[in-house]
Amino acid sequence: MLAIIHIIPWPGSAPINWNLIVNELHAEGYLSLEAKTGLFPSYIHFLFRPVLTIVYLGLTWLAVIKSRVLRKNALNHTAQYWAIFLLKVATFFQLLGLAPIILRNIKLPIENSIFVVINCAALLLILLYALHKPSIFYGFLLVAIDWNKNEWKDKIVSDEVSPPEDFTISDMIRVPKALSLPVKKFNLSEEQILLYVDLIKKEMEDNCLYLNQDLQIIDLATRINIPVHQCSFVINNHIGKNFRDWINSYRIAHFLTQYPILVDKITIEAIAQEAGFKNQATFYNAFKKEKGIMPTAYFSQGENVSGLF
């Protein structure tokens, strides 16, 4: 509004020397204009506008802080990344635009080309940051997917394979290509299915494959020399669990056999890691899903662990 009022050719206003304005713009930049450009005096450019910019930035940061988006446990991490990313970028370029005024006021020589180089370098860093964290664009600019609702799982895992609960974005690179194939109808006889079930269970149990924290279904299928999609089909439909829940059941069983032996020597989390769990959260989620309660409550009941297998 102030800008529109400023440039309106009000009756009785003095003529504007556009040649002088162009020369000052070229030499000093927009915020250092001293020539008259409209209704308001020249100090509006080099005093009021910088103050207004700083006030706006301050109010913006205050609004972000009050919104608690900076909290680490904020639910919408993507929105959090975007708010901080864009606000930092805006703050940097706005303050960079005010730097020439400060430098000139303290009588330091300054060249506009220096700020051109700084702006280009900053834009390059922003581009590198965006390439390093491409997930900040998902659900906002590039891909219409809500990452917090795990919609991305449906995009990369076929209908025949249920996505594991502890499957994360970082695991996408390790998803076997066979898992993304369309669902196929398998012409497997009952004898073949029973044979596959025996082979799968025997390989898993005899070699304790579940102790491998990075075990994938393609590893199991390769060891028994059957197609990955058939291995997945048999586990889901004839063993009765998805692959992740199935191997976690073995890990929970192994944990319960080792717990009485190792409980006085190492922590529960360490025993869980030896049983094949990557981290504490995955272990507790799998334990509750398998037993219905958390480990602490389970052991406090004083049940006979050996009688559960």
Side-chain angles (χ1 to χ4, degrees), residues 255-270:
F255 169 84
L256 291 175
T257 60
Q258 296 299 309
Y259 178 81
I261 302 172
L262 302 176
V263 65
D264 295 329
K265 301 177 183 178
I266 57 178
T267 63
I268 290 180
E269 290 75 15

Side-chain angles (χ1 to χ4, degrees), residues 155-161 175-183 228:
K155 304 295 183 183
I156 61 172
V157 183
S158 66
D159 293 338
E160 63 174 293
V161 183
V175 175
K177 291 183 178 179
L179 294 182
S180 61
L181 294 175
V183 179
V228 175

Side-chain angles (χ1 to χ4, degrees), residues 245-304:
D245 289 342
W246 180 56
I247 62 174
N248 281 344
S249 66
Y250 278 104
R251 290 166 177 168
I252 295 297
H254 183 85
F255 169 84
L256 291 175
T257 60
Q258 296 299 309
Y259 178 81
I261 302 172
L262 302 176
V263 65
D264 295 329
K265 301 177 183 178
I266 57 178
T267 63
I268 290 180
E269 290 75 15
I271 302 174
Q273 287 186 347
E274 289 189 359
F277 290 100
K278 278 188 175 183
N279 53 62
Q280 180 178 336
T282 303
F283 163 66
Y284 282 116
N285 289 335
F287 194 98
K288 185 175 182 180
K289 190 170 186 177
E290 184 72 16
K291 299 300 180 183
I293 56 176
M294 299 299 285
T296 304
Y298 178 85
F299 291 119
S300 66
Q301 292 179 353
E303 296 188 24
N304 184 3

Side-chain angles (χ1 to χ4, degrees), residues 8-197:
I8 291 177
W10 296 96
S13 58
I16 298 174
N17 187 342
W18 291 107
N19 291 329
L20 178 59
I21 292 174
V22 171
N23 292 334
E24 289 188 357
L25 285 174
H26 179 73
E28 302 293 341
Y30 179 72
L31 293 178
S32 297
L33 279 176
E34 296 183 358
K36 186 174 179 60
T37 57
L39 178 65
F40 301 116
S42 59
Y43 62 78
I44 288 291
H45 294 287
F46 58 83
L47 180 61
F48 178 72
R49 288 180 64 87
V51 171
L52 189 63
T53 299
I54 294 174
V55 170
Y56 279 166
L57 288 175
L59 291 175
T60 306
W61 276 105
L62 182 61
V64 170
I65 293 172
K66 285 185 175 181
S67 70
R68 298 184 179 181
V69 74
L70 294 174
R71 292 173 57 183
K72 291 184 178 180
N73 59 347
L75 293 177
N76 194 344
H77 296 293
T78 310
Q80 176 182 347
Y81 283 137
W82 263 107
I84 303 306
F85 175 69
L86 294 178
L87 186 52
K88 286 180 177 179
V89 171
T91 302
F92 172 80
F93 282 107
Q94 291 291 343
L95 294 180
L96 187 64
L98 299 179
I101 300 176
I102 299 174
L103 294 176
R104 291 187 184 101
N105 287 334
I106 61 177
K107 307 302 181 181
L108 286 180
I110 187 66
E111 295 291 339
N112 289 335
S113 59
I114 297 177
F115 287 94
V116 173
V117 172
I118 295 175
N119 277 277
C120 292
L123 289 173
L124 179 60
L125 290 175
I126 293 170
L127 176 61
L128 292 175
Y129 175 81
L131 293 175
H132 181 65
K133 287 184 173 291
S135 60
I136 66 174
F137 295 104
Y138 297 139
F140 284 78
L141 293 182
L142 301 182
V143 183
I145 292 177
D146 189 341
W147 292 88
N148 294 315
K149 294 181 180 178
N150 291 328
E151 294 177 6
W152 52 272
K153 291 181 180 179
D154 299 331
K155 304 295 183 183
I156 61 172
V157 183
S158 66
D159 293 338
E160 63 174 293
V161 183
S162 301
E165 289 183 353
D166 59 339
F167 195 83
T168 61
I169 295 175
S170 61
D171 291 325
M172 289 173 63
I173 193 172
R174 296 190 286 108
V175 175
K177 291 183 178 179
L179 294 182
S180 61
L181 294 175
V183 179
K184 296 180 179 180
K185 294 182 179 179
F186 305 112
N187 296 319
L188 295 176
S189 65
E190 289 296 327
E191 292 77 12
Q192 284 179 303
I193 292 174
L194 292 176
L195 176 61
Y196 282 175
V197 170

